[in-house]
mmCIF file with all atom_site columns, all heavy atoms in Angstrom:
data_model
loop_
_atom_site.group_PDB
_atom_site.id
_atom_site.type_symbol
_atom_site.label_atom_id
_atom_site.label_alt_id
_atom_site.label_comp_id
_atom_site.label_asym_id
_atom_site.label_entity_id
_atom_site.label_seq_id
_atom_site.pdbx_PDB_ins_code
_atom_site.Cartn_x
_atom_site.Cartn_y
_atom_site.Cartn_z
_atom_site.occupancy
_atom_site.B_iso_or_equiv
_atom_site.pdbx_formal_charge
_atom_site.auth_seq_id
_atom_site.auth_comp_id
_atom_site.auth_asym_id
_atom_site.auth_atom_id
_atom_site.pdbx_PDB_model_num
ATOM 1  N N   . ALA E 1 2   ? 18.335  -3.749 19.680  1.00 50.00 ? 1163 ALA E N   1
ATOM 2  C CA  . ALA E 1 2   ? 18.082  -3.105 18.390  1.00 50.00 ? 1163 ALA E CA  1
ATOM 3  C C   . ALA E 1 2   ? 18.887  -3.767 17.267  1.00 50.00 ? 1163 ALA E C   1
ATOM 4  O O   . ALA E 1 2   ? 20.009  -4.310 17.493  1.00 50.00 ? 1163 ALA E O   1
ATOM 5  C CB  . ALA E 1 2   ? 18.532  -1.620 18.477  1.00 50.00 ? 1163 ALA E CB  1
ATOM 6  N N   . ASP E 1 10  ? 4.750   9.224  11.080  1.00 95.00 ? 1171 ASP E N   1
ATOM 7  C CA  . ASP E 1 10  ? 4.028   10.523 11.142  1.00 95.00 ? 1171 ASP E CA  1
ATOM 8  C C   . ASP E 1 10  ? 3.025   10.424 12.338  1.00 95.00 ? 1171 ASP E C   1
ATOM 9  O O   . ASP E 1 10  ? 2.012   9.767  12.248  1.00 95.00 ? 1171 ASP E O   1
ATOM 10 C CB  . ASP E 1 10  ? 3.298   10.835 9.886   1.00 95.00 ? 1171 ASP E CB  1
ATOM 11 C CG  . ASP E 1 10  ? 2.288   12.012 9.934   1.00 95.00 ? 1171 ASP E CG  1
ATOM 12 O OD1 . ASP E 1 10  ? 2.495   12.774 10.894  1.00 95.00 ? 1171 ASP E OD1 1
ATOM 13 O OD2 . ASP E 1 10  ? 1.471   12.140 9.047   1.00 95.00 ? 1171 ASP E OD2 1
ATOM 14 N N   . ARG E 1 197 ? -3.575  -4.015 -24.206 1.00 89.00 ? 1358 ARG E N   1
ATOM 15 C CA  . ARG E 1 197 ? -3.096  -5.020 -25.091 1.00 89.00 ? 1358 ARG E CA  1
ATOM 16 C C   . ARG E 1 197 ? -1.623  -4.784 -25.424 1.00 89.00 ? 1358 ARG E C   1
ATOM 17 O O   . ARG E 1 197 ? -0.850  -5.820 -25.497 1.00 89.00 ? 1358 ARG E O   1
ATOM 18 C CB  . ARG E 1 197 ? -3.918  -5.036 -26.412 1.00 89.00 ? 1358 ARG E CB  1
ATOM 19 C CG  . ARG E 1 197 ? -5.366  -5.427 -26.275 1.00 89.00 ? 1358 ARG E CG  1
ATOM 20 C CD  . ARG E 1 197 ? -6.010  -5.790 -27.582 1.00 89.00 ? 1358 ARG E CD  1
ATOM 21 N NE  . ARG E 1 197 ? -5.806  -4.752 -28.566 1.00 89.00 ? 1358 ARG E NE  1
ATOM 22 C CZ  . ARG E 1 197 ? -6.669  -3.745 -28.766 1.00 89.00 ? 1358 ARG E CZ  1
ATOM 23 N NH1 . ARG E 1 197 ? -7.752  -3.634 -28.046 1.00 89.00 ? 1358 ARG E NH1 1
ATOM 24 N NH2 . ARG E 1 197 ? -6.462  -2.841 -29.698 1.00 89.00 ? 1358 ARG E NH2 1
ATOM 25 N N   . LEU E 1 240 ? -11.226 -0.785 -5.730  1.00 82.00 ? 1401 LEU E N   1
ATOM 26 C CA  . LEU E 1 240 ? -10.902 -0.861 -4.295  1.00 82.00 ? 1401 LEU E CA  1
ATOM 27 C C   . LEU E 1 240 ? -12.019 -0.253 -3.401  1.00 82.00 ? 1401 LEU E C   1
ATOM 28 O O   . LEU E 1 240 ? -12.477 -0.933 -2.419  1.00 82.00 ? 1401 LEU E O   1
ATOM 29 C CB  . LEU E 1 240 ? -9.583  -0.136 -4.038  1.00 82.00 ? 1401 LEU E CB  1
ATOM 30 C CG  . LEU E 1 240 ? -9.036  -0.165 -2.543  1.00 82.00 ? 1401 LEU E CG  1
ATOM 31 C CD1 . LEU E 1 240 ? -8.631  -1.598 -2.197  1.00 82.00 ? 1401 LEU E CD1 1
ATOM 32 C CD2 . LEU E 1 240 ? -7.911  0.750  -2.366  1.00 82.00 ? 1401 LEU E CD2 1
ATOM 33 N N   . PHE E 1 292 ? 3.665   3.252  -1.782  1.00 90.00 ? 1453 PHE E N   1
ATOM 34 C CA  . PHE E 1 292 ? 3.946   4.072  -2.936  1.00 90.00 ? 1453 PHE E CA  1
ATOM 35 C C   . PHE E 1 292 ? 5.160   3.477  -3.636  1.00 90.00 ? 1453 PHE E C   1
ATOM 36 O O   . PHE E 1 292 ? 6.290   3.610  -3.149  1.00 90.00 ? 1453 PHE E O   1
ATOM 37 C CB  . PHE E 1 292 ? 4.200   5.555  -2.530  1.00 90.00 ? 1453 PHE E CB  1
ATOM 38 C CG  . PHE E 1 292 ? 3.016   6.271  -2.083  1.00 90.00 ? 1453 PHE E CG  1
ATOM 39 C CD1 . PHE E 1 292 ? 2.997   7.020  -0.913  1.00 90.00 ? 1453 PHE E CD1 1
ATOM 40 C CD2 . PHE E 1 292 ? 1.909   6.368  -2.872  1.00 90.00 ? 1453 PHE E CD2 1
ATOM 41 C CE1 . PHE E 1 292 ? 1.891   7.695  -0.506  1.00 90.00 ? 1453 PHE E CE1 1
ATOM 42 C CE2 . PHE E 1 292 ? 0.780   7.038  -2.493  1.00 90.00 ? 1453 PHE E CE2 1
ATOM 43 C CZ  . PHE E 1 292 ? 0.705   7.712  -1.299  1.00 90.00 ? 1453 PHE E CZ  1
#
Side-chain angles (χ1 to χ4, degrees):
D1171 173 15
R1358 295 197 306 272
L1401 183 69
F1453 287 128

